[in-house]
Amino acid sequence: MSLFKYGDLEREIDFTDVEFLENLDEAKELIKEEAAQVPKVGKTADIIRAQCQCYFNFFDRVIGEGAHEEMFGGKTSLNACLNATDALLASENKEADKLNQKYGNYTVQQHGNRQQRRKYDKNNRNKNRGNGTYYNGNR
């Protein structure tokens, strides 16, 4: 679990929870669809407001209803939305790195298929003969 902090929001997020990951994936798809519907022309304030609403919806879907209000304190700033998205992504990457490091301790090292093992053995056979170790050619 990871503690995600942004603005006044402070929540525990579990990036290994399947239900949370499904919500995150769904929210990512929905923000793409909503962003495609943001007007391209018009008043800059209206365009930024529509873009921010996409991010507000995203955070409410991922973290919980009303999360954007705690995060942004009632402000509608595209820069704050982008920073919050970066913070969530950094938290996700940090947790993925920790999980990969932990999981790496439990993986079985593969030494290739039969042909690759034979080639490895052939190349390393002579290296093992003169160093005082016993090697009879069988493995």
Side-chain angles (χ1 to χ4, degrees), residues 33 42 44 53 58 72-73 85 90-91 96 102-103 107 112 128 130 134:
E33 293 172 11
T44 304
Q53 189 59 50
F58 172 78
F72 305 112
T85 305
S91 182
K102 183 184 279 188
Y103 182 71
T107 58
N128 292 329
Y134 177 74

Side-chain angles (χ1 to χ4, degrees), residues 108-122 139:
V108 176
Q109 296 295 325
Q110 297 293 327
H111 296 288
N113 61 30
R114 185 175 179 188
Q115 183 181 14
Q116 291 167 333
R117 288 191 308 268
R118 284 182 177 172
K119 183 176 180 180
Y120 176 81
D121 289 343
K122 181 180 175 186
R139 286 216 171 198

Side-chain angles (χ1 to χ4, degrees), residues 3 8 21-22 24 34-35 53 56 60 79 104 108 116 119:
L3 182 64
D8 292 337
L21 291 175
E22 287 173 345
L24 181 63
E34 291 174 355
Q53 189 59 50
F56 294 165
D60 285 350
N79 195 35
V108 176
Q116 291 167 333
K119 183 176 180 180

